[in-house]
Amino acid sequence: MGFAEYAAQGQRLATALGVPWAEAEIHLFPDGERKLRLPMPLAEHVVFCRSLDDPDHKLIELLLAAGGARDNGARRLTLVAPYLAYMRQDIAFHPGEAVSQRIIGKLLAQAFDAVITVDAHLHRIQRLSQAIPLEQAINLTATRAMGEFLARECPRDILLLGPDGESEQWVAAVAGAAGGLDYGVASKTRRGDRDVSIELPAVDFDGRQVVLVDDVASTGHTLAIAARQALAAGATSAHCLVTHALFVGDAWQQLKQAGVENIWSTDSVSHPSNCIQLAGLLAGVARGIR
Ligand code: R5P
């Protein structure tokens, strides 16, 4: 079951699972509250498919959907959320800060019996179940599909660049899945939402085509700055490959102005750069949910 803005991906998942597809109906009241209506009758096990970009209203709607489904007889609820929001605030960086990862994780664990996501931003924890306390909290990775995409689309001598230490896990896996591409990892200092600086790794960029690999592109500043610096260091071209294409505001223009030629992403978040579909990966695991 899904929601209008993510219907294409939800339908592909339903087809891959061989189950019927239906859409929840949302009414937005003038005061900003929402009413949700589920298509009846419900199956005993309902799989909700929705990514949590632009997360706040989607979270509320998912809580309404889960509660409504249980009230109407569903006994097992699975959430497939290829992009999971609130995973980056995983510690209190300053006194008094709420640890969103843990708080939102608990909320999801109360509403659903199983949660499946892709390349969640797990930096200081190893398992998704440490954030979402469920036996079946499953974090898949799109890095294999991303590596295979690069192996198909790009020459063998491209250089992959992770823009910060946190990206190492993804860039290394993508490089491996593409058949052993060269890669380097930059280091990043973040001073604000749109204020980051990057120090390139000691790698020879001269004459190389560089593909920047990261899990999330939000404002695009991280990738734009890394691209600018790689080009200034002698790279002949810069391209971006991300799992979650949030691309808020003028992110796309930022990247184009920085000289980025191609922008590729998975369909975890709907965006014109989507070129890697995740339905097969998600269905492979959703099929086994008890
Ligand atoms: C943060 O650690 C993530 O991996 C991304 O690097 C970050 O979210 C990108 O943000 P932005 O596009 O706003 O620079």
Side-chain angles (χ1 to χ4, degrees), residues 88 121 164 166 188 190 214-222:
R88 283 169 288 178
H121 193 91
D164 54 27
E166 296 176 14
K188 175 168 87 178
R190 183 180 282 286
D214 207 355
D215 60 334
V216 182
S218 178
T219 67
H221 276 69
T222 299

Side-chain angles (χ1 to χ4, degrees), residues 3-290:
F3 299 81
E5 91 289 341
Y6 206 59
Q9 288 92 329
Q11 280 168 7
R12 285 198 286 270
L13 177 62
T15 304
L17 286 171
V19 300
W21 159 259
E23 223 171 277
E25 206 181 285
I26 310 279
H27 174 73
L28 178 63
F29 290 108
D31 58 8
E33 281 186 15
R34 286 165 160 80
K35 180 176 76 176
L36 181 135
R37 184 173 179 194
L38 297 166
M40 301 297 290
L42 295 178
E44 198 177 291
H45 180 188
V46 179
V47 178
F48 289 99
C49 181
R50 182 176 229 190
S51 256
L52 288 169
D53 51 305
D54 191 12
D56 294 358
H57 73 97
K58 291 183 186 173
L59 274 168
I60 293 292
E61 289 167 10
L62 278 174
L63 295 181
L64 295 176
R70 289 204 200 275
D71 289 347
N72 281 285
R75 301 183 56 173
R76 296 283 300 163
L77 301 181
T78 296
L79 171 64
V80 176
Y83 174 66
L84 208 50
Y86 288 111
M87 289 293 114
R88 283 169 288 178
Q89 179 78 22
D90 56 0
I91 54 168
F93 296 92
H94 303 100
E97 278 178 2
V99 181
S100 317
Q101 185 186 77
R102 214 162 47 217
I103 296 164
I104 300 297
K106 263 190 208 148
L107 199 67
L108 292 175
Q110 283 158 10
F112 297 94
D113 302 299
V115 174
I116 301 172
T117 190
V118 178
D119 291 327
H121 193 91
L122 306 183
H123 179 49
R124 275 164 277 257
I125 59 171
Q126 290 74 45
R127 282 169 291 105
L128 185 63
S129 59
Q130 292 170 270
I132 304 176
L134 285 174
E135 198 183 309
Q136 297 184 97
I138 301 168
N139 183 32
L140 300 172
T141 181
T143 50
R144 183 160 171 196
M146 291 160 81
E148 288 170 355
F149 169 82
L150 288 182
R152 270 195 317 275
E153 298 294 321
C154 298
R156 296 259 342 128
D157 58 352
I158 54 171
L159 170 66
L160 307 190
L161 176 64
D164 54 27
E166 296 176 14
S167 68
E168 179 153 16
Q169 53 181 310
W170 295 291
V171 71
V174 170
L181 298 176
D182 293 345
Y183 74 91
V185 179
S187 55
K188 175 168 87 178
T189 307
R190 183 180 282 286
R191 287 173 296 274
D193 291 340
R194 290 175 167 76
D195 184 8
V196 294
S197 56
I198 278 173
E199 193 179 325
L200 291 181
V203 168
D204 189 4
F205 286 87
D206 206 31
R208 304 295 296 268
Q209 296 184 54
V210 172
V211 178
L212 293 147
V213 177
D214 207 355
D215 60 334
V216 182
S218 178
T219 67
H221 276 69
T222 299
L223 293 173
I225 291 167
R228 272 208 174 87
Q229 289 191 207
L231 291 167
T236 51
S237 62
H239 315 266
C240 294
L241 172 63
V242 295
T243 314
H244 308 298
L246 300 183
F247 291 115
V248 300
D250 66 351
W252 184 270
Q253 292 91 305
Q254 291 281 343
L255 290 174
K256 288 294 165 183
Q257 278 164 18
V260 172
E261 280 179 27
N262 290 297
I263 303 173
W264 302 299
S265 64
T266 78
D267 65 353
S268 73
V269 175
S270 300
H271 188 266
S273 61
N274 292 171
C275 55
I276 299 166
Q277 294 186 356
L278 298 176
L281 174 76
L282 296 165
V285 168
R287 214 171 274 129
I289 294 289
R290 297 177 301 282

